Amino acid sequence: MVDNNHCMSRRQFVVGACATAFAYTTLGQLTGCAASNDNEGTTHDLLTIVYNDAPNSFDPANKWDGWYTSCRGLTETLVAFDEQMNLIPCLSTEWTNEDSLTWRFTIRQGVTFHTGRALTPEAVKASLERSITKSSRAASKLNAASIDVEGNDIVITTTKPVATLSGEIAEPVFSIVDVDHVDSDPSRSGTGPYYGENVDSTENFTLSAFADYWDGAPGVATLNCQTVTDANARAMGLRSGDANIAASLLANDLTALQHDNNYSILTSESVRQVFMICNFANEFLADKAVRQALSYATDRETLCNNLLGGNIYPNGLPFPSYLSYAQAVEDDAQTYDLDKANQLLTDAGYIDSDGDGYREKNGRKISLTLAYYGTRPELPVLAPALQDAYKQIGVEIVPQFYENVDNVYYNGSFDLCLYNTTTIGNGDPSYYLKMYFLSTGSENAGKFSNAELDQIITDMQQNFDQSARFDAAQQAECIILDECPDIFFGTARMNAVCGKGVSGYEVCPVEYYGVTSHMA
Amino acid sequence: MISASHEKAYTSSCQVTWLDRLRTLYQNLIATPITFKISLIAVLAIVAIGIIGPFIVPFDPYATDYAASLAAPNAVHWFGCDAMGRDVFSRVICGTRISVFLSLAAVAIPLVIGAIVGAVAAYAGGWIDEVLMRIADIFQAFPEIILGVAIVGVLGPGLANALFAVVAVMWIRYARLMRSLVLRLLHADFIETARMSGASHRQILVHHMLPHLVPQLLVMGTLDIGFVMLTLASFSFLGLGIQAPTAEWGSMLNDGRLYFASSPYLMVFPGCAIFITVLVFNVFGNCLSDRLERRKGISW
């Protein structure tokens, strides 16, 4: 038998539910107001930053990991770049080029590693020698015969003239670390404003402010760095308040945020070019007519301005068009001409004989795989658009997404590969030319080879006359544009969005930098 | 030994049974509740859209127009346009053919395979039954969606591989259902009568047992269409199923994910298409199941 004395009536239930809902709503509003009022105009104790990709390790000498450790404020180099890509002092206060083979760097006083050890010329020598030993790219950049200590200076003697050494050494692969601790605790062996503590993941980790940082203790005590490869998820994290700073957002998200006073958008013309590498091992791509046809079938203006919302500045050149040596060859830039693309293929004997919409030659259909990855937000958007674009000239494109494109890039297991890379990482055109277009270049995955170009690039690196190097760069560009080993789309724009009240994060043309000690 | 004339006469009597059953089904349809009729009409409408949709859509679902990139729904493009300027409404309609018919095939194939395996296992018994059911146990040890993703991941993305993955995970349930149904009928009076009358194993299975089993198999298959459709859409959403630029609801969800915050309609409309279709087939399957239960007095 039910005891109705303790049962709630229907009216009581409704009144109680409404009262509870009202109370929660009011409490939530008051809490939200109080929280937002507290955050305005004050320094944050904790900032969460979401990035588009993560390093393999915290060892700056390991592959490209130094770019990440530098960007996240863990490590620093002897010299750095400013927002105009001029070299500025960092751990070295000044440097001189004594002769064609000798460079002298004066080490800054009063700098301490995260381990507590003082930065000395001996420690710098040991760190540089470690980078050269561990990284073949570092070794080929410096061509160092010896690194000696003379008082407070280190003297680098090269085996052959390296005209751009001061810029080369600004690349974070030459980040200065405490060599006695970097192998055991790489996140706590640099000189940057932040260090890692008990870090066990390179994708999501927490950094603590380094109180003894040489440029002043950082204002933000803790940084929470997270890797979110999906650009949309990064934007949503920023909107929800889970993140205070989000890097590399898509154009449509930037457009939505730019009218919102709760966010500040940081942008910069970058030195990154977006391009598509042709693998010369493929029988069709070994044919210059096919490569040129693909180039002529690429409508860069529409792809960059309409599809990508202006996040890429369209140009058909190997270098950003604001550089003098790029402007000098603008007349030879890759352009869009669909009729010419079709004519090139027809003249080369590629005909659609079976009426399926794709051309064949010697009974083989032109079908090319297009490898791409997701850490650069524009590439997954470009891939299907290129599939559609090249269908118009009878070339079948099969897009293939890779979480880590290195798996296919370095062993050449692709036909075409969408890529996004820094072109003047050392402030000089030789950086990009040497890595991607020299026959023995470390990043020449398409195995492009041109003897004349090889000689130009080799001579460039040993010429201390900047104007002569820029002239050589123009000659190199003409060969590249004629041979068409890559199809160029344009120059990426760097961006980062900060939440309300967040300041001090840097966005530079070259993405070696981001976290600073001035963040608040 | 059964004579050919005896078998022919015996088979003729079974054909009369099939025609009577179809006639009875039609009469039952007339007398069915409104829910069943509505769901049946909806199913037929979806199938019809899948057949004639590509011929009546206002725009070519694969034609790009970058000037209309990410256009919001308007009078011209009712569902808006995607990043490449393709009309979303046309792509949703054309996606019906692939999403629905592929799902129907992904149910029909494992249903037939599973029914054969289950019937053979139950009817033959002994070591054949043990071996077949242990193979089913191995497949069933893995969660269906995980096993499907693993198979497609190994074979590579594409329509054929996605279909194979679905078949590989779905046949088990039909095999077990068929086995249990056959076991229940194996010693029924009418089967024993047929056996004593000299009917062959094939005649017993096909002419006596199958008419009693097909309705239940069809009901289960209809109920599974929604699950299969979601599985195939999940594969495409993960980039493992239908590849670009084919218009398919799951791949449209994946493409729209990048623009969810600024252009949510790119996910909303294909998502609604999946929701409505799955709902319609589930309601239809439930109505079929109710009809079968009332007619047979069977509880599942």
Side-chain angles (χ1 to χ4, degrees), chain B residues 18 20 35 39 48 58 71 111 118-119 139 141 150-151 169-170 204 216 260 285:
Chain B
W18 279 105
D20 284 340
T35 310
S39 63
L111 190 149
F139 276 85
I151 292 173
V169 302
M170 292 293 293
I204 291 173
Q216 287 149 327
F260 181 67

Side-chain angles (χ1 to χ4, degrees), chain B residues 5-59:
Chain B
S5 59
H6 187 200
E7 183 172 338
K8 187 177 178 183
Y10 191 82
T11 303
S12 299
S13 67
C14 294
Q15 286 177 340
V16 172
T17 305
W18 279 105
L19 286 174
D20 284 340
R21 290 186 179 278
L22 282 173
R23 195 174 296 117
T24 305
L25 181 65
Y26 174 73
Q27 290 168 347
N28 286 340
L29 276 174
I30 303 298
T32 52
I34 188 69
T35 310
F36 182 82
K37 289 177 183 172
I38 292 174
S39 63
L40 177 61
I41 291 170
V43 166
L44 293 175
I46 290 172
V47 172
I49 290 172
I51 294 172
I52 66 171
F55 303 105
I56 62 172
V57 289
F59 295 93

Side-chain angles (χ1 to χ4, degrees), chain B residues 65-87:
Chain B
D65 178 12
Y66 291 104
S69 175
L70 297 178
N74 53 63
V76 177
H77 298 284
W78 300 334
F79 287 0
C81 294
D82 63 9
M84 293 170 65
R86 297 175 295 198
D87 182 54

Side-chain angles (χ1 to χ4, degrees), chain A residues 230-232 235-236 239 250 252-253 256 302-303 306-307 377 380-381 384-389 392 399, chain B residues 62-64 66-70 83-86 243-245 255-263 267:
Chain A
D230 188 304
N232 189 52
M236 291 174 69
R239 290 171 193 267
L250 287 172
N252 53 299
D253 290 316
T302 301
L303 291 174
N306 293 75
L307 179 68
V381 181
L386 292 175
Q387 180 188 40
D388 177 73
Q392 298 179 60
Chain B
Y62 302 105
T64 57
Y66 291 104
S69 175
L70 297 178
M84 293 170 65
R86 297 175 295 198
Q243 298 298 295
D255 293 340
R257 187 170 49 86
L258 279 175
Y259 310 98
F260 181 67
S262 58
S263 306
M267 292 189 78

Side-chain angles (χ1 to χ4, degrees), chain B:
Chain B
M1 188 68 177
I2 303 169
S3 67
S5 59
H6 187 200
E7 183 172 338
K8 187 177 178 183
Y10 191 82
T11 303
S12 299
S13 67
C14 294
Q15 286 177 340
V16 172
T17 305
W18 279 105
L19 286 174
D20 284 340
R21 290 186 179 278
L22 282 173
R23 195 174 296 117
T24 305
L25 181 65
Y26 174 73
Q27 290 168 347
N28 286 340
L29 276 174
I30 303 298
T32 52
I34 188 69
T35 310
F36 182 82
K37 289 177 183 172
I38 292 174
S39 63
L40 177 61
I41 291 170
V43 166
L44 293 175
I46 290 172
V47 172
I49 290 172
I51 294 172
I52 66 171
F55 303 105
I56 62 172
V57 289
F59 295 93
D60 180 351
Y62 302 105
T64 57
D65 178 12
Y66 291 104
S69 175
L70 297 178
N74 53 63
V76 177
H77 298 284
W78 300 334
F79 287 0
C81 294
D82 63 9
M84 293 170 65
R86 297 175 295 198
D87 182 54
V88 175
F89 176 75
S90 301
R91 289 177 66 77
V92 169
I93 296 298
C94 291
T96 307
R97 175 179 286 188
I98 293 173
S99 298
V100 173
F101 291 168
L102 189 62
S103 300
L104 290 174
V107 168
I109 296 172
L111 190 149
V112 170
I113 295 173
I116 294 172
V117 171
V120 168
Y123 197 84
W127 67 269
I128 297 177
D129 182 24
E130 289 295 326
V131 168
L132 290 175
M133 287 302 105
R134 296 299 78 75
I135 293 173
D137 287 341
I138 292 171
F139 276 85
Q140 205 166 23
F142 300 93
E144 288 173 337
I145 190 71
I146 300 297
L147 180 61
V149 170
I151 292 173
V152 178
V154 169
L155 295 177
L159 187 150
N161 293 337
L163 188 59
F164 177 80
V166 172
V167 170
V169 302
M170 292 293 293
W171 71 271
I172 306 154
R173 58 179 68 194
Y174 302 115
R176 291 209 186 277
L177 173 65
M178 189 66 162
R179 178 178 177 273
S180 66
L181 293 174
V182 169
L183 283 176
R184 196 164 57 182
L185 289 179
L186 204 55
H187 301 290
D189 289 343
F190 71 98
I191 297 297
E192 291 291 346
T193 304
R195 196 174 285 128
M196 284 189 290
S197 300
S200 66
H201 296 306
R202 185 185 67 85
Q203 286 173 328
I204 291 173
L205 270 174
V206 175
H207 298 299
H208 290 278
M209 286 189 174
L210 203 56
H212 294 273
L213 307 176
V214 166
Q216 287 149 327
L217 284 173
L218 286 180
V219 166
M220 188 164 187
T222 307
L223 287 170
D224 282 340
I225 288 175
F227 171 77
V228 167
M229 192 174 297
L230 287 172
T231 302
L232 288 169
S234 301
F235 288 163
S236 299
F237 181 76
L238 294 172
L240 299 174
I242 310 298
Q243 298 298 295
T246 306
E248 192 270 340
W249 295 338
S251 64
M252 290 175 70
L253 284 176
N254 187 30
D255 293 340
R257 187 170 49 86
L258 279 175
Y259 310 98
F260 181 67
S262 58
S263 306
Y265 50 88
L266 294 179
M267 292 189 78
V268 166
F269 292 118
C272 285
I274 294 174
F275 167 73
I276 291 170
T277 307
V278 171
L279 180 65
V280 162
F281 276 97
N282 278 349
V283 170
F284 181 64
N286 281 332
C287 291
L288 274 182
S289 175
D290 290 343
R291 295 293 300 165
L292 187 65
E293 285 175 21
R294 277 199 290 274
R295 207 153 51 84
K296 293 283 187 182
I298 297 170
S299 82
W300 291 94

Side-chain angles (χ1 to χ4, degrees), chain A residues 163-224:
Chain A
T164 57
L165 190 138
S166 55
E168 303 286 359
I169 213 163
E171 205 216 297
V173 71
F174 296 109
S175 293
I176 307 303
V177 294
D178 184 349
V179 298
D180 293 334
H181 289 87
V182 66
D183 291 322
S184 58
D185 192 1
S187 67
R188 199 172 182 170
S189 59
T191 61
Y194 289 90
Y195 65 91
E197 201 156 18
N198 299 320
V199 170
D200 55 6
S201 166
T202 58
E203 295 194 353
N204 299 297
F205 53 91
T206 301
L207 302 177
S208 300
F210 183 38
D212 295 329
Y213 181 58
W214 61 271
D215 201 22
V220 178
T222 308
L223 297 181
N224 181 15

